[in-house]
Amino acid sequence: MKENIRTFDFKPLPIDIELKDLSFVKELPKLLGKAHKANFYQLIWITEGKADFYIDFRKITIRTNDFLIISAGQVCEFDTKSDYSGKMILFTSSFFTVNELDSNFLFTSEILNPINLNKTVSINSDFMRNIILLLNNELREITDNFQIGIAQSYLRIILLEAERQLSKSYPPITNNLARRFFNSVEQNFKEEHNAEFYIKLLNVNEKQLSKEVKFFTGKTPKLYIDSRIILEAMRLLSYSNLSVKEIGFELGFDEATNFNKYFRKHTGISPGKLRVKDL
């Protein structure tokens, strides 16, 4: 029987942000070199070399001065063999969302867009080096009433600069219907499988929603919902020891047969065969 995927929670610290040297990845190959996920955000900046990370079944190559953000809940395997160096910033959503502007950033920024996750961004090395140094010095200070705000400000600057660079190639789709739909699916896909729920939730008509979603994804709203459910099913089938029935229940299917039919319809293979293939 395969082991359950290792899930990491943020370890108790005075504040919910941590700066680490990427050398620690190679020191933990049996943990980080295998599929795992974290319930927090992970920012990676490569200072030298090249690394191949696998995130949600895709290989992501990160090169010198590249910046990458891994969203909470994504399944990833870190490169523990290549010759590279860099920094990693770990933080929770509750740490970052001090005000409404911060909360809006997590739900409107292109760098955290659910349909376009894990795009690498080239960041100016002097800029990053200076900000990382400032953040590192601050986190070494004794915790006081000012530390959280200062650390949040440095993190905010890094994220905004990454968003600025990414938007040059991928114009952000902020404050529009499609993005609100993508965010709503992230929050509700395990319980709500039908487009009608989201049409009522967003208070729009079906034609309007379909037009917007198709423009950005090439899919109907229903197909987009289906693709999100299938991604989660593949994560659980590949990286957990939950039974097929338990996975179906986790994803909102009352009967295992209904989940089996649904998965086969969208992938061409039964969930049981996918699991055997991955063993």
Side-chain angles (χ1 to χ4, degrees), residues 129-142:
R129 190 175 295 107
N130 289 334
I131 293 293
I132 290 290
L133 179 61
L134 290 169
L135 177 60
N136 183 58
N137 290 341
E138 182 58 41
L139 294 180
R140 288 184 173 183
E141 295 287 338
I142 297 175

Side-chain angles (χ1 to χ4, degrees), residues 184-201:
S184 297
V185 172
E186 285 300 306
Q187 296 169 343
N188 299 285
F189 73 89
K190 290 184 179 180
E191 296 82 23
E192 302 295 341
H193 299 178
N194 296 315
E196 288 76 13
F197 168 83
Y198 301 94
I199 290 171
K200 292 180 180 178
L201 179 68

Side-chain angles (χ1 to χ4, degrees), residues 45-52 60-67 85 120-122:
W45 177 49
I46 300 293
T47 55
E48 289 186 32
K50 183 182 76 170
D52 292 325
I60 308 293
T61 300
I62 320 172
R63 296 177 173 83
T64 301
N65 291 330
D66 275 355
F67 174 95
S85 57
T120 58
V121 184
S122 181

Side-chain angles (χ1 to χ4, degrees), residues 11 30 39-40 58 62 75 78 87 107 136 157 173 176 188 192 196-197 203 209 235-236 238 248 261 266 269 277:
K11 69 180 183 180
K30 292 183 179 180
N39 293 325
F40 47 83
R58 295 186 301 128
I62 320 172
V75 174
F78 290 170
K87 301 293 182 180
F107 289 100
N136 183 58
I157 290 170
I173 54 171
N176 67 15
N188 299 285
E192 302 295 341
E196 288 76 13
F197 168 83
N203 193 27
L209 180 63
R235 286 175 175 174
L236 294 170
S238 299
K261 291 177 181 178
H266 292 284
I269 187 174
K277 179 182 176 182

Side-chain angles (χ1 to χ4, degrees), residues 77-94:
E77 298 177 37
F78 290 170
D79 188 337
T80 60
K81 298 179 180 179
S82 298
D83 185 16
Y84 65 92
S85 57
K87 301 293 182 180
M88 176 184 284
I89 302 173
L90 317 175
F91 71 95
T92 64
S93 60
S94 59

